[in-house]
Amino acid sequence: MRKCFSVLTFTAAVWTVLAMGVWAGTSAPADDSFRNGTADRIRSDDLTESYTAQYADGINCVKSGVSGSQFFFRSIRSGCTPPTPRAVTLDFAQPVSGTCGGVVKDAYAGGSLNTCGPNVVPDVRIVASKMFASSALTGGTPLMLVFSTPTNFTGPGGFELNFEQNVAVTRLSATARQMTAAATAIAELYQNVPNGGGGNSKVSLGRYYMPFALVVQKR
């Protein structure tokens, strides 16, 4: 398995922006539905097929919204206790190299991540920076996920998943769009670790095929 320290480090201020979903301007609340097909590697916590599992902004402490062209989702809000806790399934069953590193500890929250199969993760952030831009309909959107096991509101997320190529975007209506990552879509999984200088470094845990589809409906 290939492991390397990225040359990139991140300050606490940068991670605060990611953790809180701070945007310029006002965000419109959104409702989100995963495809949940048997081959999908990013799924909802409900195994119902065909986009029927909904995450709604403000319901069960979910944060979901669109600000300008950017879509932001987080499965849990700080200071909120959900009647029904929500989660997102992240499935690392398809490494590109054919190997994986087993169970890896979250350096900040203390939980563990199975890098060889499915994980039901309670604290997942999804950032699609250009999902609602007109250019996304031809060029797609950059996409990253930041997540912690268990939930963590201090410091960075324990892990990060970055898609290597823009993810395709389809216009469904004036207020709805769909992201679709093909079966060949590859994302690199990183563990975030303290670097001793008050910042954060990324350790690559491998590259994975991560097909999925997600519909985002602005209210």
Side-chain angles (χ1 to χ4, degrees):
M1 181 187 68
R2 175 172 60 90
K3 284 193 177 182
C4 63
F5 276 94
S6 169
V7 296
L8 298 178
T9 59
F10 299 87
T11 65
V14 171
W15 279 111
T16 297
V17 171
L18 281 177
M20 300 305 295
V22 177
W23 302 317
T26 302
S27 63
D31 301 330
D32 317 314
S33 304
F34 285 95
R35 179 171 57 194
N36 284 348
T38 56
D40 287 317
R41 298 303 168 202
I42 303 176
R43 307 183 294 270
S44 79
D45 51 6
D46 184 332
L47 297 181
T48 307
E49 299 269 354
S50 302
Y51 306 102
T52 57
Q54 296 286 331
Y55 295 87
D57 181 70
I59 304 299
N60 289 316
C61 299
V62 167
K63 170 66 177 176
S64 176
V66 176
S67 179
S69 62
Q70 177 177 287
F71 165 67
F72 178 87
F73 165 93
R74 188 166 186 174
S75 53
I76 183 69
R77 295 173 184 252
S78 178
C80 184
T81 301
T84 303
R86 301 304 307 271
V88 175
T89 299
L90 303 178
D91 190 344
F92 301 106
Q94 287 187 294
V96 173
S97 66
T99 61
C100 60
V103 176
V104 178
K105 185 178 180 180
D106 186 320
Y108 290 91
S112 60
L113 181 76
N114 176 13
T115 68
C116 300
N119 302 264
V120 180
V121 184
D123 187 356
V124 176
R125 284 156 275 185
I126 301 173
V127 183
S129 59
K130 299 294 182 182
M131 186 175 184
F132 280 80
S134 58
S135 60
L137 301 179
T138 54
T141 179
L143 177 65
M144 74 171 181
L145 286 74
V146 180
F147 55 99
S148 298
T149 58
T151 299
N152 183 22
F153 293 105
T154 60
F159 302 93
E160 184 176 322
L161 186 67
N162 287 335
F163 279 75
E164 295 182 350
Q165 303 292 329
N166 283 2
V167 175
V169 174
T170 304
R171 183 185 188 273
L172 302 180
S173 72
T175 57
R177 290 194 177 182
Q178 177 176 316
M179 282 190 293
T180 305
T184 55
I186 295 173
E188 188 155 9
L189 176 64
Y190 295 93
Q191 179 188 24
N192 292 318
V193 295
N195 62 14
N200 177 74
S201 297
K202 300 195 298 183
V203 179
S204 175
L205 299 177
R207 300 166 67 234
Y208 294 83
Y209 294 111
M210 297 297 293
F212 80 99
L214 173 67
V215 170
V216 176
Q217 172 70 62
K218 291 195 293 184
R219 293 184 200 158

